[in-house]
Amino acid sequence: MDSPDFTRFSVGLTGGIGCGKTTVADLFAARGASVIDTDQIAHALTAPGGAAMPALVAEFGADFAAPDGAMDRAKMRALVFADPGARTRLEAILHPRIREATAAAALLATGPYVIFVVPLLIESGTWRGRVARVLAIDCPEEVQVARVMARNNLPEAQVRAIMAAQVSRAERRLAADDIILNDDGLDALLPQVERLHAFYLDEAARLAGLPNERL
Ligand code: ATP
């Protein structure tokens, strides 16, 4: 399936670690957008009883399931870090299931448009063609480092290592249709969210062939 939902206007929201994806997505959700978080979906697939667990155990062995039946994340992280082939096998199991679950969630969405939160949207390559707009949450790298160090209690080097595995700020900005700059307090976010929400409502209405007020 190429599109999560052909009938609905959809936005892919992305951004580097700590740039404020969740913060901004919550603001759109508060205005009525249907927000679907692909990280949450991936997590649910590998939680106890998760739909990907039987295939993961068949592929990697029962050792990769923790006693509660969830994926042993530390063990899997260590494996895929050391073995790129294992990462490919893991992604072959997870990616189609994430795609299927996001499509199912989009079909159930009741908002006027859908926002998919996809941290590695630009890196993954497949999402660009599935959404009408790519929205990047943008902030200076120093702000990212400070926020993630504070939130996750991580040393600076570890935060920078995670950032090094993601596209650069400049590349993300170039790939985006829309950008929200999140380098200040929440007050600075609101007008940017309001403006884009109004634009997305208009685009959704245009796609549906309806005047905006009927959405
Ligand atoms: P991740 O990539 O780790 O999932 P994220 O991009 O979803 O992160 P958030 O979790 O929304 O980012 O924000 C990271 C941290 O920075 C959080 O602790 C959040 O409360 C804080 N934060 C985000 N935006 C702002 C802001 N404008 N003012 C103050 N704090 C902020």
Side-chain angles (χ1 to χ4, degrees), residues 13-26 37 39 117 119 137 143 147-148 150-152 166 181-189:
L13 184 157
T14 191
I17 183 166
C19 272
K21 297 178 292 295
T22 306
T23 304
V24 173
D26 287 349
D37 187 323
D39 258 2
V117 181
I137 313 306
V143 174
R147 281 195 194 136
V148 179
R151 188 194 55 187
N152 297 27
Q166 304 184 339
L181 179 62
N182 183 25
D183 65 346
D184 207 344
L186 291 180
D187 286 354
L189 280 180

Side-chain angles (χ1 to χ4, degrees), residues 37-102:
D37 187 323
T38 57
D39 258 2
Q40 278 173 13
I41 285 177
H43 207 268
L45 286 169
T46 55
M53 287 313 299
L56 285 176
V57 167
E59 180 68 31
F60 293 96
D63 283 1
F64 283 84
D68 65 359
M71 182 172 78
D72 185 332
R73 288 173 209 287
K75 196 163 182 170
M76 187 60 83
R77 208 177 299 123
L79 177 71
V80 301
F81 186 74
D83 176 0
R87 178 181 297 276
T88 306
R89 289 190 287 136
L90 175 65
E91 290 178 349
I93 291 171
L94 289 183
H95 285 181
R97 288 171 173 80
I98 293 171
R99 215 165 23 247
E100 214 172 280
T102 52

